[in-house]
Amino acid sequence: HRAQLYMIMRTGIPAGIQGMVFSLSNVVILSSINLFGAIVVAGNAAAMNIEYIVYFAMNAFYQATISFTGQNMGAGNFRRIIRVQLTALACVIVTGASVGGAVVFFGNEIAGLYSTDPDVISSAMMRLKYLCLPYFLCGMMEIISGTLRGMGHSIIPTVTSLLGACAFRILWIFTVFQIPAFHKLETIYAVYSISWTITFLALYVCFIITMKKMVYSRIERASRRVGSSL
């Protein structure tokens, strides 16, 4: 079934490449975090494990967005695609803010499960505050990406995410972080929320352009059918 195989590969391969490059950018960030010593490394590792609670809570809506968008795309119901997207955005904002806030509120207790060292717990709390509180931005970014993938456009979110998140973070580490006044841990953690915001805005512009093209294409096809029948 070549047509089905092509669709699967066209959607799956860019998504897989995106995950690989995201891991590469994280390696660059982690190597910079390692410069601050063993206590920071231990706190950062504990915080990363705690972050998964927030991420997977929001990622469920990303998966749902792809499925529901694909169904409505097949039905040609563009209005419902927008409705699905807005509903999913509301869900990740509420979920990300509530779960992220709860994780930060109980952060000392949760981080205490990984280490009893107060310095390690303090280091973990710094990452949690910088990442978990604005983590809903990551969810918003993924919802737009999921919408585009559900519409059959996998390369657009891949390229945009690689430039807006991965490339920007690496550039941030090799430029802003190297400035003596900004050579601190907070500078590294701040890049996450900044990159999420930039990527979300870029993806949303791509979504608007893609949706307009699809609507115009549908109108043109309808006009041609009317013209041919006359």
Side-chain angles (χ1 to χ4, degrees), residues 6-18 145 147-163 203 206 210:
Y6 170 73
M7 290 295 294
I8 292 172
M9 300 295 284
R10 192 179 72 172
T11 302
I13 290 178
I17 293 174
Q18 178 178 329
S145 176
T147 303
L148 287 167
R149 287 201 166 92
M151 294 168 65
H153 298 274
S154 186
I155 296 178
I156 294 175
T158 297
V159 174
T160 306
S161 298
L162 293 182
L163 293 176
L203 285 170
C206 293
T210 302

Side-chain angles (χ1 to χ4, degrees), residues 103-120:
V103 163
V104 173
F105 185 79
F106 295 104
N108 286 302
E109 290 76 10
I110 301 175
L113 298 174
Y114 293 90
S115 175
T116 57
D117 189 331
D119 294 330
V120 173

Side-chain angles (χ1 to χ4, degrees), residues 58-80:
M58 295 188 301
N59 184 258
F61 298 107
Y62 163 73
Q63 304 294 341
T65 299
I66 296 178
S67 299
F68 285 114
T69 301
Q71 290 174 359
N72 287 289
M73 185 68 187
N77 195 333
F78 296 147
R79 288 186 179 181
R80 262 205 163 163

Side-chain angles (χ1 to χ4, degrees), residues 186-200:
E186 292 88 337
T187 304
I188 299 176
Y189 291 152
V191 72
Y192 284 97
S193 56
I194 296 173
S195 64
W196 290 334
T197 303
I198 292 174
T199 308
F200 166 74

Side-chain angles (χ1 to χ4, degrees), residues 117-168:
D117 189 331
D119 294 330
V120 173
I121 295 175
S122 177
S123 178
M125 285 302 299
M126 178 185 291
R127 180 181 174 103
L128 292 177
K129 289 177 181 177
Y130 269 88
L131 271 74
C132 286
L133 288 179
Y135 220 119
F136 64 90
L137 294 171
C138 176
M140 294 171 64
M141 175 188 73
E142 290 207 329
I143 292 301
I144 307 301
S145 176
T147 303
L148 287 167
R149 287 201 166 92
M151 294 168 65
H153 298 274
S154 186
I155 296 178
I156 294 175
T158 297
V159 174
T160 306
S161 298
L162 293 182
L163 293 176
C166 301
F168 177 79

Side-chain angles (χ1 to χ4, degrees), residues 14-70:
I17 293 174
Q18 178 178 329
M20 291 167 55
V21 180
F22 260 106
S23 298
L24 176 62
S25 67
N26 287 333
V27 168
V28 175
I29 292 176
L30 287 174
S31 66
S32 300
I33 293 174
N34 290 345
L35 299 174
F36 293 91
I39 291 178
V40 172
V41 171
N44 182 76
M48 287 180 65
N49 287 321
I50 298 171
E51 284 168 27
Y52 290 138
I53 299 172
V54 188
Y55 174 75
F56 287 120
M58 295 188 301
N59 184 258
F61 298 107
Y62 163 73
Q63 304 294 341
T65 299
I66 296 178
S67 299
F68 285 114
T69 301

